[in-house]
Short mmCIF file of all heavy atoms in Angstrom, two decimals:
data_model
loop_
_atom_site.label_atom_id
_atom_site.label_comp_id
_atom_site.label_asym_id
_atom_site.label_seq_id
_atom_site.Cartn_x
_atom_site.Cartn_y
_atom_site.Cartn_z
N PRO Y 1316 41.72 -7.23 18.74
CA PRO Y 1316 40.90 -6.70 19.82
C PRO Y 1316 39.44 -6.54 19.40
O PRO Y 1316 39.18 -6.31 18.21
CB PRO Y 1316 41.53 -5.35 20.13
CG PRO Y 1316 42.29 -4.96 18.90
CD PRO Y 1316 42.65 -6.24 18.23
N PRO Y 1317 38.54 -6.62 20.33
CA PRO Y 1317 37.13 -6.44 20.00
C PRO Y 1317 36.86 -5.04 19.47
O PRO Y 1317 37.54 -4.08 19.83
CB PRO Y 1317 36.41 -6.62 21.34
CG PRO Y 1317 37.39 -7.31 22.25
CD PRO Y 1317 38.75 -6.94 21.73
N SER Y 1318 35.89 -4.96 18.60
CA SER Y 1318 35.51 -3.67 18.02
C SER Y 1318 34.53 -2.97 18.95
O SER Y 1318 33.67 -3.57 19.56
CB SER Y 1318 34.82 -3.94 16.66
OG SER Y 1318 34.36 -2.73 16.14
N GLU Y 1319 34.70 -1.66 19.05
CA GLU Y 1319 33.78 -0.84 19.83
C GLU Y 1319 32.78 -0.19 18.91
O GLU Y 1319 33.16 0.40 17.90
CB GLU Y 1319 34.56 0.25 20.59
CG GLU Y 1319 35.55 -0.28 21.59
CD GLU Y 1319 34.90 -0.77 22.85
OE1 GLU Y 1319 33.84 -0.24 23.26
OE2 GLU Y 1319 35.44 -1.74 23.45
N GLY Y 1320 31.51 -0.28 19.16
CA GLY Y 1320 30.49 0.37 18.33
C GLY Y 1320 30.18 -0.38 17.06
O GLY Y 1320 30.49 -1.57 16.92
N ASP Y 1321 29.60 0.32 16.14
CA ASP Y 1321 29.18 -0.27 14.85
C ASP Y 1321 30.33 -0.27 13.87
O ASP Y 1321 30.77 0.81 13.43
CB ASP Y 1321 28.00 0.54 14.32
CG ASP Y 1321 27.47 0.02 13.00
OD1 ASP Y 1321 27.93 -1.05 12.54
OD2 ASP Y 1321 26.59 0.68 12.43
N PRO Y 1322 30.85 -1.43 13.48
CA PRO Y 1322 31.95 -1.47 12.52
C PRO Y 1322 31.63 -0.81 11.16
O PRO Y 1322 32.52 -0.32 10.49
CB PRO Y 1322 32.23 -2.98 12.33
CG PRO Y 1322 31.60 -3.62 13.50
CD PRO Y 1322 30.47 -2.75 13.94
N ALA Y 1323 30.37 -0.77 10.80
CA ALA Y 1323 29.97 -0.17 9.54
C ALA Y 1323 30.20 1.34 9.55
O ALA Y 1323 30.27 1.97 8.51
CB ALA Y 1323 28.53 -0.47 9.23
N SER Y 1324 30.32 1.94 10.75
CA SER Y 1324 30.52 3.37 10.81
C SER Y 1324 32.00 3.76 10.83
O SER Y 1324 32.32 4.93 10.86
CB SER Y 1324 29.82 3.92 12.07
OG SER Y 1324 30.45 3.42 13.23
N LEU Y 1325 32.89 2.78 10.77
CA LEU Y 1325 34.32 3.08 10.73
C LEU Y 1325 34.71 3.75 9.42
O LEU Y 1325 34.13 3.45 8.38
CB LEU Y 1325 35.13 1.79 10.90
CG LEU Y 1325 34.98 1.08 12.25
CD1 LEU Y 1325 35.70 -0.26 12.22
CD2 LEU Y 1325 35.51 1.96 13.38
N PRO Y 1326 35.67 4.64 9.46
CA PRO Y 1326 36.10 5.30 8.21
C PRO Y 1326 36.58 4.27 7.18
O PRO Y 1326 37.32 3.33 7.52
CB PRO Y 1326 37.28 6.18 8.65
CG PRO Y 1326 37.11 6.33 10.14
CD PRO Y 1326 36.40 5.10 10.62
N GLY Y 1327 36.11 4.40 5.97
CA GLY Y 1327 36.52 3.49 4.90
C GLY Y 1327 35.74 2.19 4.83
O GLY Y 1327 35.94 1.41 3.91
N ALA Y 1328 34.85 1.97 5.77
CA ALA Y 1328 34.05 0.73 5.75
C ALA Y 1328 33.04 0.78 4.64
O ALA Y 1328 32.38 1.78 4.43
CB ALA Y 1328 33.34 0.53 7.08
N GLU Y 1329 32.94 -0.30 3.88
CA GLU Y 1329 31.97 -0.39 2.79
C GLU Y 1329 30.94 -1.44 3.13
O GLU Y 1329 31.27 -2.51 3.62
CB GLU Y 1329 32.67 -0.77 1.48
CG GLU Y 1329 33.57 0.29 0.93
CD GLU Y 1329 34.16 -0.13 -0.42
OE1 GLU Y 1329 33.43 -0.74 -1.21
OE2 GLU Y 1329 35.34 0.16 -0.63
N ARG Y 1330 29.69 -1.14 2.86
CA ARG Y 1330 28.62 -2.11 3.06
C ARG Y 1330 28.69 -3.19 1.98
O ARG Y 1330 29.05 -2.90 0.84
CB ARG Y 1330 27.27 -1.44 2.98
CG ARG Y 1330 26.98 -0.58 4.16
CD ARG Y 1330 25.89 -1.25 4.93
NE ARG Y 1330 25.53 -0.50 6.10
CZ ARG Y 1330 25.46 -1.04 7.28
NH1 ARG Y 1330 25.71 -2.29 7.47
NH2 ARG Y 1330 25.10 -0.32 8.31
N LEU Y 1331 28.34 -4.40 2.36
CA LEU Y 1331 28.25 -5.48 1.40
C LEU Y 1331 27.00 -5.26 0.55
O LEU Y 1331 26.03 -4.66 1.02
CB LEU Y 1331 28.17 -6.83 2.10
CG LEU Y 1331 29.43 -7.26 2.85
CD1 LEU Y 1331 29.16 -8.53 3.63
CD2 LEU Y 1331 30.57 -7.44 1.90
N PRO Y 1332 26.99 -5.73 -0.68
CA PRO Y 1332 25.81 -5.58 -1.53
C PRO Y 1332 24.59 -6.24 -0.90
O PRO Y 1332 24.70 -7.28 -0.22
CB PRO Y 1332 26.19 -6.32 -2.81
CG PRO Y 1332 27.68 -6.29 -2.83
CD PRO Y 1332 28.10 -6.39 -1.39
N ALA Y 1333 23.42 -5.64 -1.10
CA ALA Y 1333 22.21 -6.12 -0.48
C ALA Y 1333 21.37 -7.01 -1.40
O ALA Y 1333 20.37 -7.58 -0.95
CB ALA Y 1333 21.37 -4.93 -0.02
N ASP Y 1334 21.77 -7.14 -2.67
CA ASP Y 1334 20.98 -7.97 -3.58
C ASP Y 1334 21.93 -8.81 -4.45
O ASP Y 1334 23.12 -8.51 -4.56
CB ASP Y 1334 20.07 -7.11 -4.46
CG ASP Y 1334 20.85 -6.17 -5.34
OD1 ASP Y 1334 21.17 -5.07 -4.89
OD2 ASP Y 1334 21.18 -6.57 -6.48
N LEU Y 1335 21.38 -9.86 -5.02
CA LEU Y 1335 22.20 -10.81 -5.77
C LEU Y 1335 22.86 -10.18 -6.98
O LEU Y 1335 24.04 -10.46 -7.25
CB LEU Y 1335 21.34 -12.02 -6.19
CG LEU Y 1335 22.08 -13.13 -6.96
CD1 LEU Y 1335 23.29 -13.65 -6.19
CD2 LEU Y 1335 21.13 -14.28 -7.27
N ALA Y 1336 22.15 -9.36 -7.73
CA ALA Y 1336 22.74 -8.78 -8.94
C ALA Y 1336 23.96 -7.90 -8.63
O ALA Y 1336 24.98 -7.99 -9.28
CB ALA Y 1336 21.68 -7.97 -9.69
N THR Y 1337 23.85 -7.09 -7.57
CA THR Y 1337 24.94 -6.22 -7.18
C THR Y 1337 26.10 -7.02 -6.62
O THR Y 1337 27.27 -6.76 -6.91
CB THR Y 1337 24.47 -5.17 -6.17
OG1 THR Y 1337 23.33 -4.49 -6.70
CG2 THR Y 1337 25.54 -4.17 -5.86
N SER Y 1338 25.79 -8.04 -5.81
CA SER Y 1338 26.86 -8.87 -5.25
C SER Y 1338 27.56 -9.67 -6.33
O SER Y 1338 28.78 -9.84 -6.29
CB SER Y 1338 26.34 -9.77 -4.13
OG SER Y 1338 25.39 -10.67 -4.60
N LEU Y 1339 26.83 -10.12 -7.32
CA LEU Y 1339 27.44 -10.88 -8.44
C LEU Y 1339 28.38 -9.98 -9.22
O LEU Y 1339 29.49 -10.36 -9.58
CB LEU Y 1339 26.36 -11.46 -9.34
CG LEU Y 1339 26.85 -12.22 -10.57
CD1 LEU Y 1339 27.79 -13.35 -10.19
CD2 LEU Y 1339 25.69 -12.72 -11.39
N ALA Y 1340 27.96 -8.75 -9.47
CA ALA Y 1340 28.80 -7.79 -10.19
C ALA Y 1340 30.08 -7.51 -9.41
O ALA Y 1340 31.18 -7.48 -9.99
CB ALA Y 1340 28.04 -6.51 -10.47
N ALA Y 1341 29.97 -7.36 -8.11
CA ALA Y 1341 31.16 -7.12 -7.27
C ALA Y 1341 32.07 -8.33 -7.26
O ALA Y 1341 33.29 -8.20 -7.35
CB ALA Y 1341 30.73 -6.75 -5.84
N LEU Y 1342 31.50 -9.51 -7.18
CA LEU Y 1342 32.28 -10.74 -7.20
C LEU Y 1342 33.05 -10.89 -8.52
O LEU Y 1342 34.25 -11.15 -8.52
CB LEU Y 1342 31.37 -11.96 -7.01
CG LEU Y 1342 32.01 -13.34 -7.14
CD1 LEU Y 1342 32.88 -13.62 -5.95
CD2 LEU Y 1342 30.94 -14.39 -7.28
N GLN Y 1343 32.39 -10.62 -9.62
CA GLN Y 1343 33.01 -10.80 -10.93
C GLN Y 1343 34.07 -9.71 -11.18
O GLN Y 1343 34.99 -9.93 -11.96
CB GLN Y 1343 31.95 -10.76 -12.02
CG GLN Y 1343 31.08 -12.00 -11.98
CD GLN Y 1343 29.89 -11.92 -12.92
OE1 GLN Y 1343 29.31 -10.88 -13.13
NE2 GLN Y 1343 29.52 -13.08 -13.47
N ALA Y 1344 33.96 -8.57 -10.52
CA ALA Y 1344 34.93 -7.50 -10.69
C ALA Y 1344 36.12 -7.59 -9.76
O ALA Y 1344 37.09 -6.86 -9.92
CB ALA Y 1344 34.24 -6.14 -10.48
N SER Y 1345 36.07 -8.51 -8.81
CA SER Y 1345 37.12 -8.59 -7.79
C SER Y 1345 38.37 -9.32 -8.30
O SER Y 1345 38.34 -10.53 -8.51
CB SER Y 1345 36.60 -9.29 -6.54
OG SER Y 1345 37.65 -9.50 -5.63
N GLU Y 1346 39.44 -8.58 -8.47
CA GLU Y 1346 40.71 -9.18 -8.86
C GLU Y 1346 41.27 -10.06 -7.74
O GLU Y 1346 41.92 -11.06 -8.00
CB GLU Y 1346 41.71 -8.11 -9.29
CG GLU Y 1346 41.31 -7.39 -10.58
CD GLU Y 1346 41.20 -8.32 -11.77
OE1 GLU Y 1346 42.00 -9.24 -11.91
OE2 GLU Y 1346 40.26 -8.11 -12.58
N VAL Y 1347 41.00 -9.66 -6.50
CA VAL Y 1347 41.49 -10.43 -5.36
C VAL Y 1347 40.85 -11.83 -5.35
O VAL Y 1347 41.55 -12.85 -5.24
CB VAL Y 1347 41.20 -9.70 -4.03
CG1 VAL Y 1347 41.50 -10.59 -2.82
CG2 VAL Y 1347 41.97 -8.39 -3.93
N LEU Y 1348 39.53 -11.89 -5.50
CA LEU Y 1348 38.87 -13.20 -5.52
C LEU Y 1348 39.22 -14.00 -6.77
O LEU Y 1348 39.34 -15.21 -6.71
CB LEU Y 1348 37.36 -13.01 -5.38
CG LEU Y 1348 36.92 -12.54 -4.02
CD1 LEU Y 1348 35.41 -12.28 -3.99
CD2 LEU Y 1348 37.29 -13.55 -2.95
N LYS Y 1349 39.39 -13.31 -7.89
CA LYS Y 1349 39.79 -13.99 -9.12
C LYS Y 1349 41.14 -14.67 -8.93
O LYS Y 1349 41.33 -15.81 -9.32
CB LYS Y 1349 39.85 -12.98 -10.28
CG LYS Y 1349 39.78 -13.63 -11.63
CD LYS Y 1349 39.70 -12.56 -12.74
CE LYS Y 1349 38.36 -11.85 -12.68
NZ LYS Y 1349 38.20 -10.86 -13.74
N GLY Y 1350 42.05 -13.97 -8.27
CA GLY Y 1350 43.36 -14.54 -8.02
C GLY Y 1350 43.33 -15.67 -6.99
O GLY Y 1350 44.05 -16.67 -7.12
N ALA Y 1351 42.47 -15.52 -5.99
CA ALA Y 1351 42.40 -16.52 -4.92
C ALA Y 1351 41.65 -17.78 -5.33
O ALA Y 1351 42.04 -18.90 -4.99
CB ALA Y 1351 41.75 -15.91 -3.68
N LEU Y 1352 40.55 -17.60 -6.06
CA LEU Y 1352 39.68 -18.73 -6.39
C LEU Y 1352 39.89 -19.25 -7.81
O LEU Y 1352 39.50 -20.38 -8.10
CB LEU Y 1352 38.22 -18.32 -6.20
CG LEU Y 1352 37.82 -17.87 -4.81
CD1 LEU Y 1352 36.38 -17.38 -4.80
CD2 LEU Y 1352 38.00 -18.99 -3.81
N GLY Y 1353 40.43 -18.42 -8.66
CA GLY Y 1353 40.63 -18.82 -10.05
C GLY Y 1353 39.49 -18.32 -10.92
O GLY Y 1353 38.33 -18.26 -10.52
N GLU Y 1354 39.86 -17.90 -12.13
CA GLU Y 1354 38.89 -17.32 -13.05
C GLU Y 1354 37.81 -18.33 -13.44
O GLU Y 1354 36.64 -17.98 -13.52
CB GLU Y 1354 39.61 -16.80 -14.28
CG GLU Y 1354 38.73 -15.93 -15.14
CD GLU Y 1354 39.54 -15.16 -16.16
OE1 GLU Y 1354 40.77 -15.06 -16.05
OE2 GLU Y 1354 38.90 -14.63 -17.10
N GLY Y 1355 38.19 -19.60 -13.64
CA GLY Y 1355 37.21 -20.61 -14.04
C GLY Y 1355 36.14 -20.84 -12.96
O GLY Y 1355 34.96 -20.97 -13.27
N PHE Y 1356 36.58 -20.86 -11.70
CA PHE Y 1356 35.64 -21.04 -10.61
C PHE Y 1356 34.65 -19.87 -10.52
O PHE Y 1356 33.44 -20.06 -10.35
CB PHE Y 1356 36.40 -21.21 -9.29
CG PHE Y 1356 35.53 -21.54 -8.11
CD1 PHE Y 1356 34.89 -22.78 -8.01
CD2 PHE Y 1356 35.31 -20.61 -7.11
CE1 PHE Y 1356 34.09 -23.09 -6.94
CE2 PHE Y 1356 34.53 -20.92 -6.01
CZ PHE Y 1356 33.89 -22.15 -5.93
N LEU Y 1357 35.19 -18.64 -10.67
CA LEU Y 1357 34.31 -17.48 -10.62
C LEU Y 1357 33.35 -17.45 -11.79
O LEU Y 1357 32.19 -17.04 -11.65
CB LEU Y 1357 35.12 -16.19 -10.56
CG LEU Y 1357 35.76 -15.85 -9.23
CD1 LEU Y 1357 36.41 -14.48 -9.28
CD2 LEU Y 1357 34.78 -15.91 -8.08
N GLU Y 1358 33.80 -17.90 -12.95
CA GLU Y 1358 32.89 -17.99 -14.11
C GLU Y 1358 31.76 -18.98 -13.85
O GLU Y 1358 30.62 -18.74 -14.23
CB GLU Y 1358 33.68 -18.36 -15.35
CG GLU Y 1358 34.52 -17.25 -15.89
CD GLU Y 1358 35.38 -17.69 -17.09
OE1 GLU Y 1358 35.22 -18.81 -17.59
OE2 GLU Y 1358 36.20 -16.86 -17.52
N ALA Y 1359 32.09 -20.12 -13.20
CA ALA Y 1359 31.05 -21.12 -12.90
C ALA Y 1359 30.04 -20.55 -11.91
O ALA Y 1359 28.82 -20.69 -12.10
CB ALA Y 1359 31.70 -22.37 -12.34
N ILE Y 1360 30.52 -19.92 -10.84
CA ILE Y 1360 29.61 -19.29 -9.88
C ILE Y 1360 28.75 -18.24 -10.57
O ILE Y 1360 27.54 -18.17 -10.34
CB ILE Y 1360 30.41 -18.65 -8.72
CG1 ILE Y 1360 31.08 -19.73 -7.87
CG2 ILE Y 1360 29.50 -17.79 -7.84
CD1 ILE Y 1360 32.02 -19.18 -6.83
N GLY Y 1361 29.37 -17.43 -11.40
CA GLY Y 1361 28.65 -16.39 -12.12
C GLY Y 1361 27.54 -16.95 -13.00
O GLY Y 1361 26.42 -16.43 -13.04
N ALA Y 1362 27.84 -18.06 -13.68
CA ALA Y 1362 26.83 -18.66 -14.57
C ALA Y 1362 25.63 -19.18 -13.78
O ALA Y 1362 24.47 -18.98 -14.18
CB ALA Y 1362 27.45 -19.81 -15.37
N VAL Y 1363 25.90 -19.77 -12.63
CA VAL Y 1363 24.79 -20.28 -11.78
C VAL Y 1363 23.97 -19.12 -11.26
O VAL Y 1363 22.73 -19.14 -11.31
CB VAL Y 1363 25.33 -21.14 -10.62
CG1 VAL Y 1363 24.26 -21.47 -9.61
CG2 VAL Y 1363 25.96 -22.43 -11.17
N ARG Y 1364 24.62 -18.10 -10.75
CA ARG Y 1364 23.89 -16.95 -10.17
C ARG Y 1364 23.14 -16.18 -11.25
O ARG Y 1364 22.03 -15.72 -11.00
CB ARG Y 1364 24.83 -16.03 -9.44
CG ARG Y 1364 25.52 -16.66 -8.24
CD ARG Y 1364 24.51 -17.12 -7.20
NE ARG Y 1364 25.17 -17.86 -6.14
CZ ARG Y 1364 24.96 -19.14 -5.86
NH1 ARG Y 1364 24.09 -19.85 -6.56
NH2 ARG Y 1364 25.59 -19.73 -4.88
N GLU Y 1365 23.69 -16.06 -12.44
CA GLU Y 1365 22.95 -15.39 -13.55
C GLU Y 1365 21.70 -16.19 -13.92
O GLU Y 1365 20.66 -15.61 -14.20
CB GLU Y 1365 23.86 -15.20 -14.74
CG GLU Y 1365 24.90 -14.11 -14.52
CD GLU Y 1365 25.97 -14.05 -15.60
OE1 GLU Y 1365 25.97 -14.89 -16.54
OE2 GLU Y 1365 26.85 -13.17 -15.47
N ALA Y 1366 21.80 -17.52 -13.91
CA ALA Y 1366 20.64 -18.35 -14.20
C ALA Y 1366 19.58 -18.17 -13.10
O ALA Y 1366 18.38 -18.12 -13.40
CB ALA Y 1366 21.04 -19.83 -14.31
N GLU Y 1367 20.02 -18.10 -11.85
CA GLU Y 1367 19.07 -17.84 -10.75
C GLU Y 1367 18.39 -16.49 -10.90
O GLU Y 1367 17.17 -16.37 -10.67
CB GLU Y 1367 19.77 -17.94 -9.39
CG GLU Y 1367 20.20 -19.32 -9.03
CD GLU Y 1367 21.03 -19.42 -7.77
OE1 GLU Y 1367 21.53 -18.36 -7.29
OE2 GLU Y 1367 21.22 -20.52 -7.29
N LEU Y 1368 19.17 -15.49 -11.26
CA LEU Y 1368 18.57 -14.16 -11.47
C LEU Y 1368 17.50 -14.20 -12.56
O LEU Y 1368 16.43 -13.61 -12.39
CB LEU Y 1368 19.65 -13.14 -11.84
CG LEU Y 1368 20.51 -12.61 -10.69
CD1 LEU Y 1368 21.72 -11.89 -11.22
CD2 LEU Y 1368 19.70 -11.72 -9.76
N ALA Y 1369 17.79 -14.88 -13.65
CA ALA Y 1369 16.83 -14.98 -14.76
C ALA Y 1369 15.59 -15.78 -14.32
O ALA Y 1369 14.46 -15.38 -14.60
CB ALA Y 1369 17.48 -15.62 -15.96
N ARG Y 1370 15.82 -16.89 -13.64
CA ARG Y 1370 14.70 -17.77 -13.23
C ARG Y 1370 13.77 -17.06 -12.26
O ARG Y 1370 12.55 -17.25 -12.32
CB ARG Y 1370 15.27 -19.04 -12.60
CG ARG Y 1370 14.21 -19.98 -12.08
CD ARG Y 1370 14.78 -21.22 -11.50
NE ARG Y 1370 13.74 -22.09 -10.99
CZ ARG Y 1370 13.94 -23.11 -10.21
NH1 ARG Y 1370 15.17 -23.45 -9.85
NH2 ARG Y 1370 12.95 -23.84 -9.78
N PHE Y 1371 14.31 -16.30 -11.33
CA PHE Y 1371 13.50 -15.73 -10.26
C PHE Y 1371 13.26 -14.22 -10.41
O PHE Y 1371 12.87 -13.56 -9.46
CB PHE Y 1371 14.16 -16.04 -8.90
CG PHE Y 1371 14.22 -17.50 -8.61
CD1 PHE Y 1371 15.43 -18.14 -8.49
CD2 PHE Y 1371 13.07 -18.25 -8.48
CE1 PHE Y 1371 15.51 -19.49 -8.22
CE2 PHE Y 1371 13.12 -19.61 -8.21
CZ PHE Y 1371 14.34 -20.22 -8.07
N ARG Y 1372 13.48 -13.72 -11.60
CA ARG Y 1372 13.34 -12.26 -11.83
C ARG Y 1372 12.01 -11.70 -11.34
O ARG Y 1372 11.97 -10.65 -10.72
CB ARG Y 1372 13.51 -11.96 -13.32
CG ARG Y 1372 13.57 -10.49 -13.63
CD ARG Y 1372 14.02 -10.18 -15.04
NE ARG Y 1372 15.10 -11.03 -15.55
CZ ARG Y 1372 16.41 -10.87 -15.31
NH1 ARG Y 1372 16.78 -9.92 -14.51
NH2 ARG Y 1372 17.30 -11.67 -15.83
N ASP Y 1373 10.92 -12.39 -11.59
CA ASP Y 1373 9.60 -11.89 -11.21
C ASP Y 1373 9.00 -12.67 -10.05
O ASP Y 1373 7.80 -12.53 -9.77
CB ASP Y 1373 8.66 -11.95 -12.42
CG ASP Y 1373 9.14 -11.04 -13.55
OD1 ASP Y 1373 9.61 -9.93 -13.27
OD2 ASP Y 1373 9.07 -11.49 -14.72
N ALA Y 1374 9.79 -13.48 -9.36
CA ALA Y 1374 9.27 -14.31 -8.28
C ALA Y 1374 9.23 -13.53 -6.96
O ALA Y 1374 10.07 -12.66 -6.73
CB ALA Y 1374 10.12 -15.55 -8.12
N SER Y 1375 8.30 -13.89 -6.13
CA SER Y 1375 8.22 -13.31 -4.79
C SER Y 1375 9.22 -14.03 -3.89
O SER Y 1375 9.66 -15.16 -4.23
CB SER Y 1375 6.82 -13.47 -4.21
OG SER Y 1375 6.58 -14.86 -3.92
N PRO Y 1376 9.57 -13.46 -2.74
CA PRO Y 1376 10.47 -14.16 -1.83
C PRO Y 1376 9.93 -15.54 -1.42
O PRO Y 1376 10.69 -16.51 -1.35
CB PRO Y 1376 10.54 -13.23 -0.61
CG PRO Y 1376 10.37 -11.86 -1.21
CD PRO Y 1376 9.33 -12.09 -2.31
N ALA Y 1377 8.63 -15.65 -1.24
CA ALA Y 1377 8.04 -16.94 -0.87
C ALA Y 1377 8.19 -17.96 -2.00
O ALA Y 1377 8.45 -19.14 -1.73
CB ALA Y 1377 6.55 -16.76 -0.53
N GLU Y 1378 8.06 -17.53 -3.21
CA GLU Y 1378 8.24 -18.44 -4.36
C GLU Y 1378 9.68 -18.90 -4.48
O GLU Y 1378 9.96 -20.05 -4.79
CB GLU Y 1378 7.79 -17.76 -5.66
CG GLU Y 1378 6.30 -17.54 -5.74
CD GLU Y 1378 5.90 -16.64 -6.90
OE1 GLU Y 1378 6.61 -15.67 -7.21
OE2 GLU Y 1378 4.83 -16.92 -7.48
N ILE Y 1379 10.60 -18.01 -4.22
CA ILE Y 1379 12.03 -18.38 -4.27
C ILE Y 1379 12.33 -19.41 -3.19
O ILE Y 1379 12.99 -20.40 -3.45
CB ILE Y 1379 12.91 -17.14 -4.12
CG1 ILE Y 1379 12.69 -16.21 -5.34
CG2 ILE Y 1379 14.40 -17.53 -4.02
CD1 ILE Y 1379 13.33 -14.82 -5.19
N VAL Y 1380 11.85 -19.16 -1.99
CA VAL Y 1380 12.07 -20.08 -0.88
C VAL Y 1380 11.48 -21.45 -1.22
O VAL Y 1380 12.12 -22.49 -1.03
CB VAL Y 1380 11.49 -19.55 0.44
CG1 VAL Y 1380 11.48 -20.63 1.52
CG2 VAL Y 1380 12.29 -18.36 0.91
N ALA Y 1381 10.25 -21.47 -1.71
CA ALA Y 1381 9.59 -22.74 -2.05
C ALA Y 1381 10.37 -23.50 -3.11
O ALA Y 1381 10.51 -24.74 -3.05
CB ALA Y 1381 8.16 -22.48 -2.52
N ALA Y 1382 10.93 -22.80 -4.08
CA ALA Y 1382 11.67 -23.46 -5.16
C ALA Y 1382 13.06 -23.92 -4.73
O ALA Y 1382 13.56 -24.93 -5.24
CB ALA Y 1382 11.79 -22.52 -6.37
N MET Y 1383 13.69 -23.19 -3.82
CA MET Y 1383 15.09 -23.44 -3.50
C MET Y 1383 15.34 -24.12 -2.15
O MET Y 1383 16.45 -24.54 -1.88
CB MET Y 1383 15.88 -22.13 -3.56
CG MET Y 1383 15.85 -21.44 -4.90
SD MET Y 1383 16.63 -22.39 -6.21
CE MET Y 1383 18.33 -22.30 -5.74
N ARG Y 1384 14.32 -24.22 -1.34
CA ARG Y 1384 14.50 -24.70 0.05
C ARG Y 1384 15.31 -25.96 0.15
O ARG Y 1384 16.21 -26.06 0.99
CB ARG Y 1384 13.14 -24.87 0.70
CG ARG Y 1384 13.27 -25.44 2.12
CD ARG Y 1384 11.95 -25.54 2.82
NE ARG Y 1384 11.52 -24.18 3.14
CZ ARG Y 1384 10.26 -23.76 3.11
NH1 ARG Y 1384 9.30 -24.59 2.70
NH2 ARG Y 1384 9.95 -22.54 3.43
N TRP Y 1385 15.07 -26.92 -0.68
CA TRP Y 1385 15.74 -28.22 -0.55
C TRP Y 1385 16.73 -28.45 -1.67
O TRP Y 1385 17.20 -29.58 -1.88
CB TRP Y 1385 14.70 -29.34 -0.49
CG TRP Y 1385 13.69 -29.13 0.59
CD1 TRP Y 1385 12.38 -28.86 0.44
CD2 TRP Y 1385 13.95 -29.15 1.99
NE1 TRP Y 1385 11.76 -28.70 1.64
CE2 TRP Y 1385 12.71 -28.87 2.63
CE3 TRP Y 1385 15.06 -29.34 2.78
CZ2 TRP Y 1385 12.59 -28.82 4.02
CZ3 TRP Y 1385 14.92 -29.28 4.17
CH2 TRP Y 1385 13.71 -29.00 4.77
N SER Y 1386 17.15 -27.43 -2.37
CA SER Y 1386 18.01 -27.59 -3.51
C SER Y 1386 19.39 -28.17 -3.16
O SER Y 1386 19.99 -28.87 -3.96
CB SER Y 1386 18.24 -26.24 -4.21
OG SER Y 1386 17.05 -25.81 -4.80
N TRP Y 1387 19.91 -27.84 -2.02
CA TRP Y 1387 21.29 -28.23 -1.69
C TRP Y 1387 21.34 -29.22 -0.55
O TRP Y 1387 22.37 -29.35 0.10
CB TRP Y 1387 22.11 -26.99 -1.39
CG TRP Y 1387 22.04 -25.99 -2.49
CD1 TRP Y 1387 21.37 -24.81 -2.48
CD2 TRP Y 1387 22.58 -26.12 -3.82
NE1 TRP Y 1387 21.46 -24.18 -3.69
CE2 TRP Y 1387 22.21 -24.96 -4.53
CE3 TRP Y 1387 23.34 -27.07 -4.45
CZ2 TRP Y 1387 22.58 -24.75 -5.85
CZ3 TRP Y 1387 23.70 -26.86 -5.78
CH2 TRP Y 1387 23.31 -25.69 -6.45
N SER Y 1388 20.26 -29.91 -0.26
CA SER Y 1388 20.30 -30.85 0.85
C SER Y 1388 20.51 -32.27 0.37
O SER Y 1388 20.49 -32.58 -0.77
CB SER Y 1388 19.01 -30.79 1.64
OG SER Y 1388 17.90 -31.08 0.83
#
């Protein structure tokens, strides 16, 4: 059934991480995703995201967009 109101205000609802470092930590800590996707796959994703964090640590949002805009096309 459709949800009434803001789903984020439901009891027990957790907000998703708002930044890459926090979301990466949550991803790496998730036993559910580790079981579903496999430890090797999560390690590969983690390595890529850690490299992105290091590369763009001091970059502005505009610099990140300019560098990554066409990366996956």
